[in-house]
Amino acid sequence: MSAGSERGASAAPGVVPAPCASKVELRLSCRHLLDRDPLSKSDPGVALLLRSQGQWLQVDRTEVVPSCLHPVFSKVFTLDYYFEEVQKLRFEVYDCPGPSGLGCRDDDFLGGMECTLGQIVAQKKMTRALLLRSGRNAGKSTITVIAEDISTNNGYVELSFRARKLDDKDLFSKSDPFLELYRVNDDQTEQLVYRTEVVKNNLSPAWEPFKVSLNCLCSCEETRPLKCLVWDHDSRGKHDFIGEFATTFAEMQKAFREDQAQWDCVNTKYKQKKRNYKNSGVVILADLKLYRVYSFLDYIMGGCQIHCTVAIDFTASNGDPRNSCSLHYINPFQPNEYLQALVAVGEVCQDYDSDNRFSALGFGARIPPNFEVSHDFAINFNPEDDECEGIQGVVAAYQNCLPRVQLYGPTNVAPVISRVARMAAAEERSGEASQYYILLILTDGVVTDMADTREAIVRASHLPMSVIIVGVGNADFTDMQTLDGDDGVLRSPRGEPAVRDIVQFVPFRELKNASPAALAKCVLAEVPTQVVEYYSHKELPPRGLGTHAGDAGPGCVLWGHPKRAGQPRLHPVSSILGVP
């Protein structure tokens, strides 16, 4: 579980979501733990607790390392780090005898340590004494916490190892081998990346596949040295060393592509003593899958354009624009709510569209020359080209449109959603991550054509498109919340579910006194995630990084022998480390 993962869900409507500065991985080790077991050493495990609303809540726990007073834990904790908050943490170490796993009984308590996540991040590596419940030191026991920022992580790898003809270390049975993978740091210290399970009584074991982030494996540096150690497991913790080998992630990939991914497992002592010594077995990389994780910024920097369409409510419920009480009243000294929302969002979006042109539509008005009601007309009155130059062009078209139309009704928005969806559908057929559409609907009331709107949104959820609805004025917008999929999956009247949440609804009155930047942040908060989710769902990488191949599986670049896996293939996957 990622602590802090529920923050977004609990944010009150209209409150600007606090940006997550980074995701942080924490790795733990202990030294000189108290020995609680009379016949063997303690079996330690660590519980991570987070202070929330005055209470300590357990959010995660490590594995149990049997019979060891100096454990290095393989489990990695992943936390959201917020610079603007004091995030209090507590690490509690317990002796966990028996198969039941990590318990939290006081008589098994080996010591605890409290700190803040900010302190760990500032120090990067922090060692503290463990304290008993009484506040006294738990002997010489210490805990070390190492923090790594994974906000720049661009993927993870799935590895599968097996071995052949390992040395037999047991007299009356065969070895019980397990493998440890270490990363060599810049200071030449070694950081445990992963520890496999133990395969009992087997000299040619096949260990279960495992996944690690590229940051965890090699700090995203593919030539960083790695070490693999193979041990014969001992229930008392005195594992017998079988052998080791050194490699890099770059070497792993090259060897796997060439079907030569195997290494001699060497015991240096045996090599020095035995003249004809070759190895203590062979370790084979049975499978390697590289999953690239792309962010919103990856797509933008890859050339994806964000095209923004504005749709403005011209229904009669807004009031006569000539009256100062109207929501459409043009005050030369204070922009109305339509203009405030339009400018705040438009000024952000215009940076992501190279031609800086906005489509600008209106709905709910009688328009010239025949003054028939229209629900998707161009407010510049050019049906062949509804685009305006920049956000100021939209403002000018809106102000020129007001005196020329007759505000009417009803409040039907399905037509404008369908209009933008047709453009998005044409883009979808390109098979590239080249253009994404945002529809900003500004309305003063609950939509009249709710059934048609739900149908249009569900269809649009298959397309490169997001819908942002800003409720202007003081109407009761409760029914509008049903269009925002945050409380569950939106369904069409026929029961078809939306494939992803593409709607964000924001009542303007809750942000009336906020700065334009705060308004834009709240209104556009979900767009980056929606962009990444769409292209990940379609298995489309950022432009310039290759096309997808449907048989490689979502999210991965699968390196392998052509007979096994074909040529290198590239697939995006939505960010398990978060969307920056």
Side-chain angles (χ1 to χ4, degrees):
M1 173 180 177
S2 175
S5 60
E6 299 179 1
R7 294 172 55 90
S10 61
V15 176
V16 178
C20 177
S22 298
K23 281 191 178 291
V24 176
E25 285 185 345
L26 302 182
R27 292 176 176 77
L28 310 182
S29 60
C30 296
R31 298 283 295 171
H32 307 294
L33 292 178
L34 297 176
D35 193 352
R36 296 290 196 195
D37 297 341
L39 301 178
S40 65
K41 296 184 176 71
S42 295
D43 305 319
V46 181
L48 171 63
L49 294 87
L50 177 68
R51 189 78 169 175
S52 177
Q53 298 180 340
Q55 293 183 317
W56 288 108
L57 303 176
Q58 185 178 139
V59 295
D60 215 337
R61 54 177 64 189
T62 68
E63 77 279 15
V64 174
V65 179
S67 192
C68 184
L69 302 183
H70 311 288
V72 177
F73 297 98
S74 175
K75 167 73 176 181
V76 177
F77 295 139
T78 303
L79 300 176
D80 290 337
Y81 165 62
Y82 297 89
F83 172 78
E84 68 279 8
E85 291 186 13
V86 177
Q87 295 170 269
K88 294 183 178 179
L89 305 178
R90 179 171 174 79
F91 300 89
E92 295 186 346
V93 186
Y94 291 89
D95 178 22
C96 311
S100 58
L102 183 59
C104 295
R105 299 202 314 264
D106 278 351
D107 53 350
D108 294 326
F109 184 63
L110 299 179
M113 184 271 285
E114 291 182 22
C115 62
T116 67
L117 184 55
Q119 289 170 332
I120 301 172
V121 168
Q123 296 180 38
K124 294 186 179 178
K125 179 179 181 179
M126 187 176 75
T127 300
R128 292 270 186 94
L130 290 172
L131 303 180
L132 299 174
R133 303 284 190 202
S134 63
R136 293 183 293 108
N137 284 357
K140 296 181 180 180
S141 301
T142 61
I143 184 169
T144 297
V145 187
I146 298 173
E148 289 191 69
D149 177 6
I150 59 170
S151 56
T152 57
N153 191 343
N154 67 339
Y156 60 98
V157 64
E158 181 176 328
L159 300 172
S160 177
F161 286 98
R162 61 186 179 89
R164 187 174 64 239
K165 296 182 179 179
L166 294 176
D167 282 355
D168 193 351
K169 296 291 185 177
D170 297 338
L171 284 176
F172 303 107
S173 64
K174 296 175 182 175
S175 295
D176 305 320
F178 67 94
L179 179 145
E180 291 182 326
L181 178 60
Y182 287 85
R183 179 188 74 221
V184 180
N185 296 320
D186 291 336
D187 61 1
Q188 299 307 304
T189 58
E190 296 174 3
Q191 176 64 56
L192 178 64
V193 172
Y194 190 80
R195 181 185 294 124
T196 70
E197 78 283 5
V198 176
V199 178
K200 293 283 189 179
N201 199 33
N202 196 327
L203 300 183
S204 297
W207 293 287
E208 290 292 325
F210 61 91
K211 294 178 182 178
V212 292
S213 70
L214 287 180
N215 196 74
C216 175
L217 177 66
C218 59
S219 302
C220 295
E221 300 171 17
E222 298 189 0
T223 57
R224 179 176 290 276
L226 305 174
K227 287 180 69 175
C228 279
L229 281 67
V230 181
W231 303 84
D232 173 26
H233 180 264
D234 183 88
S235 60
R236 296 167 298 174
K238 296 181 179 180
H239 311 305
D240 294 320
F241 180 63
I242 295 177
E244 65 181 328
F245 66 90
T247 185
T248 66
F249 184 51
E251 181 184 283
M252 282 184 181
Q253 294 177 84
K254 182 175 184 294
F256 189 74
R257 285 198 303 270
E258 298 171 355
D259 204 19
Q260 297 177 353
Q262 65 178 44
W263 294 265
D264 287 336
C265 188
V266 176
N267 187 318
T268 306
K269 289 184 178 178
Y270 288 178
K271 189 175 183 179
Q272 292 172 348
K273 292 180 180 178
K274 299 180 180 180
R275 180 179 298 178
N276 296 323
Y277 175 81
K278 183 179 179 182
N279 60 46
S280 294
V282 174
V283 176
I284 301 158
L285 179 59
D287 201 6
L288 185 155
K289 296 175 184 175
L290 178 59
Y291 296 79
R292 291 291 184 188
V293 179
Y294 299 115
S295 69
F296 174 67
L297 193 58
D298 288 329
Y299 285 103
I300 295 301
M301 294 181 72
C304 182
Q305 301 282 298
I306 304 294
H307 181 79
C308 188
T309 298
V310 180
I312 301 173
D313 183 340
F314 286 96
T315 57
S317 55
N318 285 280
D320 187 338
R322 295 168 295 185
N323 188 318
S324 62
C325 295
S326 170
L327 291 170
H328 279 306
Y329 178 68
I330 303 299
N331 184 334
F333 304 105
Q334 175 66 38
N336 63 37
E337 292 185 7
Y338 280 97
L339 285 174
Q340 289 180 55
L342 173 62
V343 172
V345 176
E347 286 187 342
V348 173
C349 291
Q350 67 184 357
D351 291 339
Y352 300 100
D353 194 349
S354 59
D355 66 6
N356 196 24
R357 291 172 64 85
F358 289 76
S359 293
L361 307 175
F363 60 91
R366 286 174 165 171
I367 63 172
N370 299 323
F371 286 93
E372 295 177 346
V373 176
S374 175
H375 295 292
D376 64 340
F377 63 92
I379 65 173
N380 64 2
F381 299 106
N382 182 351
E384 302 300 322
D385 183 7
D386 57 22
E387 292 189 333
C388 302
E389 289 288 343
I391 196 63
Q392 291 307 317
V394 179
V395 171
Y398 163 70
Q399 292 175 330
N400 293 333
C401 173
L402 275 173
R404 298 178 61 184
V405 300
Q406 183 181 26
L407 274 58
Y408 202 71
T411 308
N412 291 351
V413 300
V416 293
I417 296 174
S418 297
R419 179 169 176 153
V420 176
R422 287 193 291 273
M423 294 189 290
E427 172 60 30
E428 181 191 33
R429 290 192 286 272
S430 73
E432 285 191 320
S434 55
Q435 186 123 322
Y436 193 89
Y437 291 83
I438 295 176
L439 171 60
L440 172 62
I441 299 174
L442 306 174
T443 180
D444 81 320
V446 175
V447 299
T448 308
D449 60 340
M450 184 62 79
D452 289 344
T453 297
R454 285 165 50 204
E455 182 72 37
I457 290 171
V458 169
R459 288 201 304 267
S461 70
H462 295 266
L463 302 172
M465 175 177 170
S466 293
V467 179
I468 299 167
I469 305 174
V470 177
V472 175
N474 296 314
D476 181 2
F477 292 110
T478 303
D479 289 347
M480 298 290 279
Q481 301 286 358
T482 62
L483 300 177
D484 192 324
D486 289 347
D487 296 327
V489 177
L490 178 71
R491 293 182 179 273
S492 72
R494 298 178 291 106
E496 180 187 354
V499 296
R500 58 194 184 92
D501 177 15
I502 66 167
V503 177
Q504 168 84 330
F505 174 74
V506 179
F508 182 84
R509 60 173 173 260
E510 296 184 7
L511 290 161
K512 205 168 187 176
N513 299 318
S515 67
L519 171 62
K521 276 185 179 180
C522 186
V523 170
L524 297 171
E526 296 183 8
V527 169
T529 299
Q530 290 168 351
V531 170
V532 173
E533 282 180 348
Y534 171 76
Y535 290 122
S536 297
H537 177 72
K538 294 294 183 180
E539 299 183 352
L540 291 174
R543 295 172 72 190
L545 294 181
T547 56
H548 69 284
D551 59 339
C556 68
V557 181
L558 178 55
W559 299 106
H561 190 280
K563 292 181 181 177
R564 279 202 308 256
Q567 295 305 307
R569 299 186 285 256
L570 182 61
H571 290 241
V573 63
S574 59
S575 180
I576 58 172
L577 306 167
V579 179

